[in-house]
Amino acid sequence: MAQLLLLHLLAAVVAPLLVRLLHRKAFVVLALVPATAFGWLVSVSTEVREGYGPTQQFSWVPGLGLDLDFRVTTLSWVLGLLVTGVGALVLLYCTWYFKPDDDTLWRFTSVFTAFAGAMLGLVLTDNFLVLYVFWELTTVFSYLLIGHNPASSTNRRAAMQALLVTTFGGLAMLIGIIAIGVHHTYSISELLDSPPPLDGILIAAIVLLLVGALSKSALIPFHFWLPGAMAAPTPVSAYLHAAAMVKAGVYLVALLAPAFAGVPAWHALTVGLGLGTMLLGGWRAMRQHDLKLLLAYGTVSQLGFMVAITGIGTRAAALSALALIIGHALFKSTLFLIVGIIDKTTGTRDLRRLSGVGRRFLPISIPAGLAALSMAGVAPLTGFVAKESVLGAVLGGIEDAEPLPKAWGWLALAVILIGSALTVAYTARFMWGAFATKPDVPPTRFTVPHPGFVAAPLLLGVASLFLGLLAPIESTWLMPYADEFTVGDAAEPLALWHGLTVPLALSVVSILAGGLLFLAREDVARAQARVPDLVDGERIFGHVLRGVDRGAVEATAVTQRGSLPLYVMAILVMFVALPGGAAVLGGTIGPVRLWDSPAQVVVGAIVVSAALLVLFSRRRVTSIMLVGVTGYGTAMTFIIAGAPDLGITQMLVETVALVVFVLVLRRLPTKFTRHPQSPVRSWRLALGLAVGLGVASLALVTTSARNQLPTSEGFPREAYAFGHGRNIVNVTLVDIRAWDTLGEVSVLVVAATGIASLIFVNTRNARLSRATAKNLPPTEPGRGTWLHGGRTLRPERRSVIFEVVTRLVFHVMLAASLFLLFAGHNQPGGGFSGGLVAGLALVIRYLAGGRYELDEAAPFDAGLLVGLGLLVVATSALAPLAFGGTILETTAVDFELPVWGDVHLVTSLFFDCGVYLIVVGMMLDIVRSLGSGIDRQIAEETSDPSTAAAYDTAPAGEATPTPAADADLAPPRPRGAAS
C-alpha cells in the first residue's frame, strides 16, 4: 500500500516532464498509476470479504504514536476502488478535454495525480494522525485544482473559500484527534475494535471529528463552498466533487459509526444536518440554469442524504449507505463528465440555450440517461437499489424505535421522500435542459467529439446499470461492513426486486411527485422567487471574512508601527517580564563554577569589553565589528570547551552576519544619530541590563534545576551504533534529531525567500543578461585579467591585490567546503558549515569583482538551488521506505575502491548534501539581494534607469538595453593608461 502511494508521488513528480515530452498523451501514462492501484484492490477482494484484508506497518515516530499503518477493510476497499477507478477514467478523459496548447497542463497533471495519491492514502491509513496529514493534503491539492486558472478572480475566490472552510473543519478535527490520541490511542482499528467508555473528552473529540467531516462534505452550514468550486475545470468537479474529496467526510462518518453512532449529538449532527442539507440542495438545484451548478447543488443534496443514512447507525442503514455511496460516485461523475463534453462541443452550459442535442448526440445522451435514471432512483439502475434499501432501513428503524424515536423516524422518512422527489425533479430538469428539443430555441450546433472523449462517461454510465442488475452479488461484498454494527436486525441483502413492498411503493410515490414538480416547474420557479433567502451561508461567510480582515487591519495599525526597535523592545520586555522574571524571583541557583580554564576568563573579558565599547561607538561599521567580536568570542568559548564543530559553525555564522550587516549599511547613514538627553536611551540601557540579568539568571536556574541525567548522555553511543559516525554533533543533526534539522532548513528557505522578496519585486533572479555581458568593457590586448568582473568596475573601486587573492583562495574554499561536507560525519564539519564556506567563497567573488563576477562564479538561479536541496533532503528522508526501512533511517555501506581504499559511506550523507545545497542557495540569494539587488537600486538612483534595466534577464528574442553610465561599470580605457 505504501508502494502505491509512493508510485503516485513519483508520478506527480515526473508529470511535468511527461507533459513536456508527450503533451496531452501524458494523461494516458498517468492514468496507469491509479489503474494499477485499482487492479491491486481488485486482487485482494476475496481477502477483504473474508475479513482478512492486507495490512502494512512502518514505525515512524513511535513516541508520538505516529506510525505509517495501513489496512484494507470493506469500507476502505470500496472507497479505494472509487478513488482509483474513477480517477483513472477521469485522467483518460482529460486527454481530450484540454487544448493541445494549454500551458498549464504540467501543473494540473502533477497536482491531480498527487491528489489521487493523497485521497488513496486517506482511505487506507489506520492511524488518525496520518489520516489528518492526508486530509489536509487533499485540502491543499483541491485548492490548487479549483484555482487552476490563477488569472481568474472567480477561480481564486472559489479556491480560497474552499480552502478556508475545509481547513477550519480540519483544525477542529485535529483537536479531536489529539484528544483521542492523548487519552486513548491514535490507532483507528484499536479504537474501533475496543471503544473506550464515553466521557466528556471523548464525546467532545467525536463531535470535533464530525465538524471536520461536515465541512469536507459540504453540509449545512458549510454547504456554500461546493457550488463555488464549480469554477474548477470539469474533470476536477467529476473527480473531487463526485468520487473523491467530498466523499472524505462521508467516509469519516462511516468509519466512526460502528463504534460511536450512539454518542450524544451524533444523530443531531449527522441525521439532522444531513437531511436539512438534502432539502436545501434539492430546492436550490431546481432554480439553476447552469448545468454544472445544477449538478453541484444536487451533489450537496446527495451528500446530505448519504451522511444522514450513514449516521443512523443500524446494520440495514450501513448497508444501504454503502450502496448509496457507490451509486452516487458512478452517476454523478458520469453527469459531470457529460457536462464537460457538452460545454466543449457546444460552447455553453446554459440549459436555456441548448436544444435538440439528445437525438443528434446519442453517444452522450445514452450514458447521461442511464446516470440520470440512477440518480432519480429508477429501476433497474443501482440508484434504485440503494434508495429502496434506504427506505427499508428507515422503516425498520421506525418499527424497532431505535436508534431514533418513532416520531423522529417518521419525520426523517418524510424528509427523505421530499428530498427524493426534489432529486427526481432536478434530474428531469437536467435531462430536459441538456438534451430536449425546445420549440422556442434554435437547434444547438456542436462538434463531434473524439470517441475517447466519451469513453469514460459511457463506462461509468453502463456500470450504474450493471451494478443495479448485479445487486445480490454486490450485497455479498458490502455485507461485512454492515456486520460491524450492533444495533438493529440483520441487514436485508440488496436486490433489484423484493416484491410489492412498502419501500417500493414509497419509491414510486417519490418518482411521481418529482415528475409533477418538474411538469409544474414554471409555478415552482415563481414560488421559489417569492421565498427569500433567510439564511445565506455564502453571504454570512463573506461578512465574517470581511470582519476578520477589518480586525486584522485595525490590530496591525496598532501593533505594527513599522519600527524595528519597537518590535525588538516588545519581545525583550515580554522575555524580562515572564521567563526572566520567574528565574530571578523564583529560581534556585546551585553552586557556580566561574571558569574551567584561564583562557575562558581572557575570552570573556574580550567579549564584555567589546559589548561595552558598542555603547560608545558612533560609527555603524565600528559597532558591527565590535558586535562581531562578541560572536567570535563565543566561538572561542566553544573551542576551549572542546566543541570544535560548534566553534566552526559559530565563526562561519558570525562572518555571514558581518557580511550581511556591511551590505545593508550601504543604505544607512555612516554614523548613528545621537540624542544624549533622550529618555529612550536610558530606557534602552535599562532594558539591556534587565535582559542580560534575565538570561544569566535563566541559564543558572535551569542548569541548577536538573535532577536527571540529560538525554545527550546516550548520544555518543547512539551516534556510533545507529548513526554510524564519530562526530556526535553532525550525527545528531542528520540522524538523531533529523526532524529538527528538516524544520530548520525549511526556516532557512523561508528566510532566504523573504529577504529576496524585500529586494526583488518582479523576479528573484537578478543576473546580468547576455546582452549586457557582450557590451562590457573588453580586456586590453596583451593584458590578462585575474577576474572577469573586475573590468566592470571603475579604477578607484578595483584592488588588484584583492582580485589576485580571490583568484587564489576561491577554489581552495570550495574544496574546503566539500571536505567539511564529506568528512563531517566523523570529523568536525557537515553540510551546514560546508555550505557556509562555499557561500563565503561566493561573497568574496562578489566583493572583489562586483555583481557581474558573482554571476560568473554562480551562473544559476538561487531559487533553483534551494529547491534542489529541498528535493534531495525530502528524497533522502523518504528513500528508506522503498527498502523496508523507516523515514530518515540511516544505513552504512562499507566497500573498497582500488585506488582510494576502504570507504565508509553513510546514507545520511545525502541528507547532508541537501542541507549543503540549501545553505549555498540561501547565501547566493542573500548576496544577490543585499549585494547585486542593492547595487541595482543604487544604479537606478544615480544613473539612467535604462542602465539598471540591463541587469534583468531579458526574455528570449527581446533586445536588452546596453549599460551606459552605471556607477560600477567602467568605460574602456586607452591602452597604456594607468590602473
Side-chain angles (χ1 to χ4, degrees):
M1 285 172 275
Q3 290 83 348
L4 293 175
L5 300 182
L6 288 175
L7 182 62
H8 280 81
L9 175 62
L10 178 62
V13 171
V14 303
L17 178 61
L18 290 176
V19 170
R20 185 174 182 179
L21 296 175
L22 304 175
H23 305 290
R24 292 189 301 175
K25 293 181 181 178
F27 284 109
V28 179
V29 178
L30 293 173
L32 296 175
V33 176
T36 301
F38 181 86
W40 181 82
L41 288 169
V42 171
S43 69
V44 300
S45 301
T46 304
E47 293 94 323
V48 174
R49 184 179 62 177
E50 295 175 355
Y52 301 104
T55 61
Q56 199 172 29
Q57 296 180 336
F58 298 97
S59 179
W60 190 3
V61 189
L64 297 178
L66 182 56
D67 297 319
L68 295 176
D69 297 338
F70 302 97
R71 69 168 184 159
V72 182
T73 63
T74 300
L75 177 63
S76 61
W77 177 74
V78 169
L79 268 295
L81 287 174
L82 294 178
V83 168
T84 56
V86 177
L89 291 175
V90 171
L91 280 170
L92 287 174
Y93 173 91
C94 290
T95 307
W96 295 276
Y97 178 84
F98 290 99
K99 297 179 180 179
D101 58 347
D102 194 329
D103 59 357
T104 63
L105 290 185
W106 67 272
R107 180 176 65 245
F108 180 86
T109 53
S110 181
V111 176
F112 193 98
T113 308
F115 175 89
M119 192 66 207
L120 180 61
L122 189 152
V123 300
L124 293 181
T125 183
D126 191 36
N127 186 284
F128 274 116
L129 289 174
V130 180
L131 183 144
Y132 174 75
V133 171
F134 285 121
W135 187 281
E136 290 306 304
L137 283 177
T138 61
T139 296
V140 173
F141 291 140
S142 68
Y143 166 77
L144 297 174
L145 290 171
I146 296 171
H148 172 69
N149 180 15
S152 169
S153 60
T154 302
N155 283 80
R156 294 197 306 270
R157 183 169 58 252
M160 182 59 68
Q161 187 180 78
L163 178 69
L164 292 176
V165 173
T166 54
T167 300
F168 168 78
L171 290 175
M173 187 177 77
L174 176 61
I175 298 173
I177 288 174
I178 293 175
I180 291 176
V182 169
H183 292 86
H184 304 288
T185 178
Y186 287 114
S187 172
I188 297 175
S189 56
E190 289 181 14
L191 184 72
L192 299 181
D193 293 342
S194 303
L198 290 180
D199 55 20
I201 293 177
L202 183 59
I203 293 173
I206 297 299
V207 170
L208 289 171
L209 290 175
L210 289 179
V211 171
L214 300 184
S215 68
K216 202 76 161 184
S217 291
L219 265 67
I220 294 174
F222 309 109
H223 61 282
F224 56 87
W225 73 261
L226 197 149
M230 293 302 107
T234 301
V236 174
S237 303
Y239 188 50
L240 272 68
H241 307 137
M245 178 180 172
V246 294
K247 289 291 196 300
V250 182
Y251 167 76
L252 185 58
V253 174
L255 184 69
L256 299 174
F260 300 107
V263 169
W266 173 278
H267 289 114
L269 291 174
T270 56
V271 180
L273 294 180
L275 294 179
T277 304
M278 184 182 185
L279 291 181
L280 178 64
W283 175 259
R284 293 196 173 179
M286 286 288 294
R287 62 186 186 190
Q288 302 302 318
H289 301 296
D290 186 322
L291 292 175
K292 200 173 177 184
L293 274 180
L294 188 154
L295 292 179
Y297 280 104
T299 301
V300 171
S301 176
Q302 292 289 314
L303 288 171
F305 189 23
M306 286 182 281
V307 170
I309 302 306
T310 306
I312 290 176
T314 63
R315 292 187 177 94
L319 179 63
S320 58
L322 211 51
L324 194 62
I325 290 171
I326 297 172
H328 175 265
L330 294 177
F331 65 66
K332 193 54 66 73
S333 56
T334 301
L335 294 176
F336 270 121
L337 295 177
I338 292 294
V339 169
I341 296 175
I342 293 174
D343 188 18
K344 288 294 182 179
T345 55
T346 66
T348 182
R349 299 195 306 251
D350 193 332
L351 56 81
R352 295 167 297 185
R353 297 172 56 188
L354 293 167
S355 178
V357 176
R359 290 184 179 179
R360 296 179 294 135
F361 212 169
L362 292 178
I364 66 167
S365 61
I366 290 177
L370 293 174
L373 290 173
S374 182
M375 184 163 66
V378 178
L381 281 300
T382 184
F384 165 78
V385 174
K387 186 171 75 171
E388 189 182 31
S389 177
V390 166
L391 294 173
V394 175
L395 285 171
I398 293 174
E399 293 177 2
D400 299 336
E402 64 173 353
L404 299 175
K406 280 195 174 183
W408 291 107
W410 285 112
L411 178 61
L413 179 63
V415 173
I416 290 173
L417 291 176
I418 297 172
S420 298
L422 289 173
T423 301
V424 173
Y426 67 69
T427 301
R429 177 179 171 82
F430 174 87
M431 292 300 296
W432 167 80
F435 300 108
T437 300
K438 306 177 182 69
D440 54 342
V441 180
T444 304
R445 300 179 62 182
F446 62 87
T447 57
V448 179
H450 189 280
F453 200 13
V454 301
L458 182 61
L459 288 173
L460 291 169
V462 172
S464 295
L465 172 62
F466 276 98
L467 208 58
L469 297 174
L470 302 176
I473 299 176
E474 178 191 8
S475 183
T476 61
W477 296 97
L478 304 185
M479 194 63 74
Y481 171 69
D483 293 338
E484 296 178 11
F485 289 76
T486 58
V487 178
D489 298 330
E492 187 174 357
L494 301 174
L496 191 60
W497 176 254
H498 287 103
L500 297 176
T501 59
V502 175
L504 176 63
L506 293 176
S507 182
V508 172
V509 168
S510 66
I511 293 173
L512 293 176
L516 292 176
L517 283 174
F518 169 71
L519 294 175
R521 58 186 177 275
E522 301 291 342
D523 296 330
V524 172
R526 285 192 289 270
Q528 286 183 319
R530 289 194 293 269
V531 176
D533 291 332
L534 298 178
V535 179
D536 189 330
E538 187 169 7
R539 188 164 57 241
I540 294 174
F541 173 81
H543 289 321
V544 171
L545 203 58
R546 285 191 291 272
V548 171
D549 288 341
R550 182 63 182 175
V553 170
E554 296 295 339
T556 302
V558 173
T559 60
Q560 302 292 313
R561 309 298 296 182
S563 172
L564 182 59
L566 182 62
Y567 302 154
V568 175
M569 190 178 299
I571 295 172
L572 296 179
V573 166
M574 293 305 298
F575 168 78
V576 171
L578 297 178
V584 172
L585 299 177
T588 301
I589 300 176
V592 177
R593 188 170 64 251
L594 296 178
W595 59 75
D596 293 320
S597 69
Q600 290 178 329
V601 179
V602 176
V603 173
I606 294 173
V607 170
V608 172
S609 300
L612 292 175
L613 288 174
V614 171
L615 301 177
F616 302 97
S617 174
R618 296 195 58 189
R619 291 183 174 274
R620 296 180 188 271
V621 174
T622 305
S623 299
I624 295 304
M625 295 302 174
L626 290 172
V627 170
V629 170
T630 64
Y632 288 119
T634 304
M636 287 302 301
T637 60
F638 291 148
I639 294 174
I640 294 171
D645 239 321
L646 295 179
I648 292 173
T649 304
Q650 175 65 30
M651 285 186 176
L652 292 172
V653 170
E654 196 63 40
T655 304
V656 172
L658 283 176
V659 171
V660 171
F661 277 126
V662 170
L663 292 176
V664 173
L665 286 182
R666 294 180 297 165
R667 305 294 286 169
L668 296 174
T670 305
K671 296 182 179 182
F672 291 107
T673 302
R674 291 292 186 181
H675 300 285
Q677 305 302 323
S678 174
V680 176
R681 180 176 173 83
S682 302
W683 161 248
R684 289 177 178 173
L685 180 61
L687 180 60
L689 292 174
V691 170
L693 178 62
V695 170
S697 302
L698 199 61
L700 293 172
V701 169
T702 53
T703 53
S704 301
R706 183 184 298 278
N707 52 26
Q708 299 290 335
L709 288 176
T711 306
S712 58
E713 285 286 330
F715 277 20
R717 182 180 63 258
E718 302 289 341
Y720 190 76
F722 299 103
H724 308 285
R726 295 184 178 87
N727 183 351
I728 302 173
V729 174
N730 184 262
V731 174
T732 300
L733 292 176
V734 299
D735 189 288
I736 300 175
R737 303 293 294 272
W739 280 107
D740 292 350
T741 305
L742 188 60
E744 289 163 3
V745 296
S746 301
V747 172
L748 282 179
V749 173
V750 173
T753 304
I755 293 172
S757 64
L758 291 174
I759 304 297
F760 302 127
V761 177
N762 298 321
T763 177
R764 188 178 189 174
N765 187 6
R767 292 180 292 154
L768 296 175
S769 65
R770 293 182 180 179
T772 303
K774 292 179 181 179
N775 289 278
L776 291 173
T779 304
E780 297 180 23
R783 296 184 62 180
T785 179
W786 287 101
L787 297 176
H788 289 290
R791 55 196 171 98
T792 67
L793 302 177
R794 293 188 177 277
E796 60 270 19
R797 291 197 55 186
R798 292 188 65 178
S799 171
V800 176
I801 295 177
F802 195 10
E803 292 181 18
V804 172
V805 172
T806 301
R807 181 70 176 266
L808 294 175
V809 304
F810 177 74
H811 298 92
V812 175
M813 292 182 69
L814 290 183
S817 74
L818 293 175
F819 174 81
L820 290 173
L821 168 64
F822 290 107
H825 210 66
N826 292 289
Q827 302 177 35
F832 186 77
S833 56
L836 289 177
V837 172
L840 288 172
L842 294 175
V843 170
I844 293 175
R845 287 285 290 267
Y846 163 73
L847 295 176
R851 45 188 165 172
Y852 177 66
E853 184 61 33
L854 176 63
D855 295 323
E856 285 281 320
F860 41 78
D861 187 8
L864 180 63
L865 197 62
V866 170
L868 180 61
L870 275 178
L871 178 62
V872 172
V873 166
T875 304
S876 63
L878 297 174
L881 292 177
F883 301 94
T886 59
I887 292 179
L888 291 170
E889 181 177 345
T890 299
T891 302
V893 180
D894 295 306
F895 56 94
E896 183 177 352
L897 291 177
V899 178
W900 190 273
D902 294 334
V903 177
H904 178 71
L905 177 64
V906 183
T907 55
S908 58
L909 173 65
F910 300 105
F911 184 92
D912 226 7
C913 289
V915 175
Y916 178 89
L917 293 175
I918 290 173
V919 174
V920 174
M922 179 202 67
M923 289 294 297
L924 183 58
D925 228 348
I926 290 175
V927 180
R928 282 220 174 107
S929 55
L930 300 181
S932 300
I934 293 180
D935 286 345
R936 184 173 180 274
Q937 292 180 0
I938 294 173
E940 290 176 346
E941 297 171 2
T942 59
S943 63
D944 190 336
S946 64
T947 302
Y951 290 88
D952 292 328
T953 303
E958 293 186 12
T960 308
T962 300
D966 192 353
D968 287 343
L969 291 178
R973 289 182 284 111
R975 184 174 181 179
S979 298

